[in-house]
Amino acid sequence: MPPVFRFAPSPNGYLHLGHVLSASLNADMVKAAGGLLLLRIEDIDATRCRPEYEAAIYEDLRWLGLAWEEPVRRQSEHFADYRAALARLEAMGLVYPSFESRAEIAALVAANEANGPWPRDPDGAPLYPGTAKTLGAAERSDRIASGAPYALRLDMAAALARMPRLIWTETGTGPEGESGTVIANPAGWGDVILARKDTPTSYHLAVVVDDAAQGVTDVVRGRDLFHATSVHRLLQTLLGLPEPRYHHHRLVTDADGRKLSKSTQATGLRALRSQGLTPPDIRRLVGLD
Ligand code: GLU
């Protein structure tokens, strides 16, 4: 069986040099390993994703010389798969609804911080204080029936209580040079969101369901997602899904050393194309060849 790689952009903006590096590394590794390259459109956020960005992704990747297997998987067409995975976690008693707004959570965290530092996740966001975990079943269903917005969270403590020590195989490197066998630390993320009232999945849930559904054996992606792998390994284990190999690669940064964002004009692939750069020029710009 050939190894299966995937490039999984979100169509919420035009591709920039960070995407180019990720897509090109995937394609290079596919070539070296005699593998298959899949393309997945991560379009669960209907408020930010737009068809013209998706069309631009195909066009830009073809211009770069990339080819991928068809059909492309679009996450918005697979909500039933994510609902089914969520239902399995619910049946294990590992999911609970929380009703606080972002501002209410910030106030709860601030109140806790009066007594000392409050833990933050690897992205720097304060952990959810778990307040809604104590709501009774009747109160939960009343609030949901009233139409209140809510997020469905993983009860991390309950999930970890069922788990052996989780590891993954890293063939790239993490932010602290982690490589080889890495010990996962999902607890560092707290009670992560798995879905919301109007969106039946989160990034974490969709990515593990899709990697399994598509038979992905090798996840090659930016180092900014290194720590998210801890959550992915936990969800894979809870759901009985296979474990891919992981390769986290360096990030392309701007002149000030910051991670690129989709709004950075200077590093947008379209802007560089319109200046007359060729695909080999673009590869050199991201440090390949
Ligand atoms: N959709 C994610 C992004 O564009 C990548 C997800 C992944 O590779 O796991 O950053």
Side-chain angles (χ1 to χ4, degrees):
M1 288 287 278
V4 179
F5 294 72
R6 89 306 194 269
F7 175 56
S10 299
N12 55 13
Y14 293 112
L15 297 184
H16 57 58
L17 291 179
H19 299 106
V20 171
L21 176 63
S22 210
S24 306
L25 281 174
N26 268 287
D28 291 357
M29 290 169 83
V30 163
K31 209 167 160 191
L36 299 174
L37 179 61
L38 309 183
L39 178 61
R40 182 163 76 225
I41 299 295
E42 301 215 322
D43 59 349
I44 51 178
D45 184 350
T47 60
R48 296 175 64 218
C49 294
R50 300 227 296 260
E52 57 268 35
Y53 293 137
E54 183 179 333
I57 287 172
Y58 303 134
E59 209 269 324
D60 282 336
L61 293 178
R62 276 194 203 101
W63 179 83
L64 278 170
L66 266 69
W68 53 88
E69 305 300 312
E70 298 284 350
V72 168
R73 185 171 171 103
R74 300 173 73 238
Q75 291 189 322
S76 57
E77 293 167 358
H78 296 276
F79 284 155
D81 294 359
Y82 313 133
R83 275 196 199 95
L86 188 63
R88 285 187 61 186
L89 298 171
E90 278 172 335
M92 290 181 230
L94 300 179
V95 180
Y96 70 93
S98 69
F99 300 91
E100 299 92 345
S101 65
R102 274 175 224 270
E104 284 165 339
I105 293 175
L108 286 168
V109 168
N112 281 312
E113 269 176 337
N115 306 319
W118 184 253
R120 289 180 180 255
D121 72 23
D123 288 344
L127 297 196
Y128 174 67
T131 3
K133 226 157 98 166
T134 55
L135 294 177
E139 171 127 37
R140 284 177 182 169
S141 40
D142 281 357
R143 290 210 198 179
I144 290 174
S146 78
Y150 60 89
L152 293 172
R153 292 180 180 272
L154 181 68
D155 183 337
M156 184 60 77
L160 290 176
R162 307 171 155 249
M163 280 297 116
R165 193 173 77 148
L166 294 172
I167 55 166
W168 79 84
T169 302
E170 175 66 48
T171 64
T173 40
E176 310 290 332
E178 300 93 332
S179 190
T181 302
V182 177
I183 298 172
N185 177 25
W189 289 95
D191 291 354
V192 286
I193 294 178
L194 297 175
R196 292 181 190 276
K197 182 185 174 206
D198 299 315
T199 317
T201 183
S202 65
Y203 158 67
H204 294 307
L205 186 62
V207 85
V208 301
V209 168
D210 285 347
D211 283 340
Q214 296 189 283
V216 170
T217 58
D218 290 85
V219 174
V220 177
R221 62 185 177 192
R223 196 166 288 155
D224 52 334
L225 293 169
F226 177 84
H227 289 296
T229 311
S230 286
V231 177
H232 301 170
R233 289 291 302 116
L234 175 62
L235 293 176
Q236 283 158 359
T237 310
L238 289 168
L239 293 166
L241 303 176
E243 173 189 352
R245 280 180 294 269
Y246 287 90
H247 183 104
H248 292 92
H249 60 72
R250 65 186 164 84
L251 300 178
V252 180
T253 51
D254 66 13
D256 302 321
R258 278 189 302 256
K259 190 186 140 185
L260 301 186
S261 81
K262 295 203 165 160
S263 53
T264 319
Q265 276 299 319
T267 52
L269 181 55
R270 302 227 129 188
L272 295 166
R273 284 179 63 178
S274 69
Q275 289 164 29
L277 273 75
T278 64
D281 295 334
I282 302 281
R283 272 184 74 91
R284 270 190 298 277
L285 261 185
V286 296
L288 295 174
D289 302 339

